[in-house]
Amino acid sequence: MRLTFDAEVERFRAEFVEFLTEHMPDEASALAERPVSSSEVPGWARDWQRTQFEHGWLLPGNPPEFGGRDASILQQYVHLEELSRRRIYHSFNPQGLGIVAASLLSFGTAEQKKNWAVRILRAEITASLGMSEPGAGSDLAGLRTRATRDGDDFVVNGQKVWTSGAHHADVLLTFVRTDPEAPKHKGISVLLIPTDTPGLTRRPFPSICGTRDVDFNEVFFENVRVPAENLVGPLNEGWKVANGSLGHERTMLWLSFADRMRCLIDDFEPRTVFDRDHYATLVMDNTALRLLGSAALARAARGEQDVAALSVLKLLGSEAVQSAAEHALDAAGADGLIDPAFTGPLHPLNHDNSVGSWFERYARSFAGTIAGGTSEIQRNIIAERVLGLPRS
């Protein structure tokens, strides 16, 4: 099964393909300067993102003044499909584009949209998400970083961790507790905090993938003064902003897993009977994900809301990628541990780690079962909202 589209959607696709043919960056320039974190965007990639913005192809679902063309959900899908087909990474500042700017467009003031969101979308600045804390990774309600109102400012004290790209970001969308007496899910607010603010310290650290993979950060706030005008959304209503922020991330998240599975299908080289069995499972999982994803997309195009179905897609996609990457690593034997290495052809407009060593590809697969809602959270949603099981 594959989705079919009407003439209007196919005209939209053809126009985008024409744009790509005319405007894609020079591959030699792209290969000469590679990004080193999720908020470090090379010059050529900034120019490329700005070109997409100016032509309405950055986020087609947005209105024209915010880099789009008011595209329908099916038009947005074929846009992502064409990017995937050409192995083009949408933005080398994914959280800035997909979460921070999107949250500002949903909850920010007119000034915040102009002064922050548009600049992020145009790649004039980059942004990271300050959400997770020590002891409060997936539990946003457990955050302890505090912001106290003092005249025209908030004074922020606390710590964040796992903050991707913070050492290269210009601003952090930061979740803070502004009413310590309120229940856990209440009293949370959101602040835009420039990273050059006095008292803000960023400490990058490497991941399991190796010492050269430095994207995560600890971020410390010591009496950091933030103008009250940088409050995003109403005071103490940060929980709503958080749900909206992650909602932007989750809408078509399944498509990214389908893309990774297709890459694994291309690069996985089964050698034994067991390897071929695992490879066949990967192919079937990919087909199942695309079938379920196509059905969910069709429902969304009809205006039907099915949030629980997204949990099924996220769980299936993330765990299928992880399982396949593990089996590909096993099939490669000792060679799979050689790092750095490339296990597929390098695509200049994509991340190098998408075809890194088999060990790296397997290690990175764990992020998929955590980011955007852990597998445990997805299973709870499915149990309660799909299967109708009791809470206890």
Side-chain angles (χ1 to χ4, degrees):
M1 171 187 156
R2 184 181 182 279
L3 282 175
T4 57
F5 305 99
D6 61 27
E8 182 180 357
V9 173
E10 290 300 342
R11 280 195 297 270
F12 183 90
R13 184 202 299 271
E15 186 179 351
F16 182 48
V17 169
E18 183 179 349
F19 165 81
L20 290 175
T21 301
E22 182 178 354
H23 293 283
M24 276 205 309
D26 174 66
E27 291 191 356
S29 299
L31 288 172
E33 188 180 7
R34 308 305 290 164
V36 296
S37 85
S38 55
S39 288
E40 195 275 331
V41 183
W44 65 266
R46 289 178 185 263
D47 292 341
W48 168 231
Q49 185 169 317
R50 191 172 304 117
T51 298
Q52 293 175 80
F53 178 94
E54 291 171 349
H55 288 78
W57 289 116
L58 182 62
L59 293 169
N62 285 0
E65 63 268 28
F66 298 123
R69 47 184 62 204
D70 293 317
S72 70
I73 191 166
L74 292 181
Q75 290 172 328
Q76 293 173 59
Y77 174 83
V78 298
H79 169 260
L80 291 176
E81 190 175 50
E82 291 302 322
L83 289 175
S84 171
R85 181 172 291 140
R86 288 163 176 75
R87 297 289 187 265
I88 299 173
Y89 199 63
H90 197 186
S91 167
F92 287 97
N93 183 211
Q95 286 190 343
L97 191 73
I99 298 180
V100 179
S103 297
L104 291 172
L105 295 183
S106 295
F107 300 98
T109 64
E111 290 77 14
Q112 289 172 345
K113 293 175 184 179
K114 176 183 177 182
N115 296 333
W116 295 103
V118 170
R119 294 173 67 201
I120 293 169
L121 293 170
R122 289 177 55 84
E124 296 170 2
I125 60 174
T126 62
S128 292
L129 181 66
M131 185 175 281
S132 296
E133 297 188 3
S138 297
D139 179 21
L140 174 63
L143 70 82
R144 291 178 292 179
T145 296
R146 292 193 179 187
T148 305
R149 186 66 182 261
D150 181 21
D152 293 333
D153 296 334
F154 286 97
V155 179
V156 180
N157 285 278
Q159 179 188 353
K160 299 293 179 180
V161 74
W162 315 114
T163 313
S164 300
H167 57 310
H168 289 126
D170 297 295
V171 64
L172 302 179
L173 185 73
T174 311
F175 288 76
V176 295
R177 188 164 295 284
T178 44
D179 184 355
E181 304 302 321
K184 286 182 65 176
H185 292 75
K186 305 290 185 180
I188 295 172
S189 300
V190 185
L191 295 172
L192 279 167
I193 306 181
T195 54
D196 60 358
T197 305
L200 190 155
T201 302
R202 296 164 286 174
R203 294 181 184 171
F205 59 91
S207 76
I208 189 177
C209 297
T211 55
R212 62 187 172 80
D213 181 62
V214 181
D215 191 37
F216 290 139
N217 281 254
E218 293 178 296
V219 182
F220 300 89
F221 304 89
E222 185 175 357
N223 295 322
V224 174
R225 300 191 74 89
V226 183
E229 65 188 29
N230 286 19
L231 176 69
V232 179
L235 183 69
N236 297 326
E237 295 293 333
W239 191 258
K240 293 180 181 178
V241 179
N243 286 333
S245 300
L246 295 179
H248 289 300
E249 184 185 38
R250 291 170 180 158
T251 303
M252 289 193 188
L253 187 59
W254 69 268
L255 191 57
S256 68
F257 292 118
D259 186 43
R260 290 176 221 177
M261 290 164 76
R262 190 175 75 175
C263 289
L264 284 164
I265 289 171
D266 291 342
D267 301 335
F268 186 176
E269 297 182 0
R271 299 176 182 178
T272 68
V273 172
F274 292 110
D275 293 342
R276 289 192 289 273
D277 184 65
H278 293 313
Y279 184 85
T281 298
L282 167 60
V283 173
M284 289 186 288
D285 285 343
N286 180 54
T287 301
L289 181 63
R290 290 184 181 275
L291 287 171
L292 291 170
S294 295
L297 188 67
R299 289 193 296 272
R302 294 193 297 268
E304 301 172 14
Q305 297 293 325
D306 191 356
V307 177
L310 298 179
S311 290
V312 175
L313 292 168
K314 202 273 183 179
L315 181 65
L316 169 60
S318 62
E319 296 203 346
V321 166
Q322 187 173 107
S323 177
E326 180 181 12
H327 293 312
L329 174 61
D330 287 342
D335 289 345
L337 299 175
I338 298 173
D339 190 82
F342 289 112
T343 52
L346 188 64
H347 303 284
L349 304 188
N350 208 326
H351 272 299
D352 295 352
N353 58 41
S354 66
V355 290
S357 71
W358 281 122
F359 169 77
E360 181 175 2
R361 291 174 76 163
Y362 174 55
R364 289 188 183 280
S365 72
F366 286 87
T369 61
I370 299 171
T374 65
S375 289
E376 290 77 12
I377 289 173
Q378 306 306 331
R379 284 187 166 86
N380 284 341
I381 293 172
I382 293 167
E384 294 171 14
R385 299 181 61 178
V386 178
L387 302 177
L389 299 178
R391 285 177 173 266
S392 60

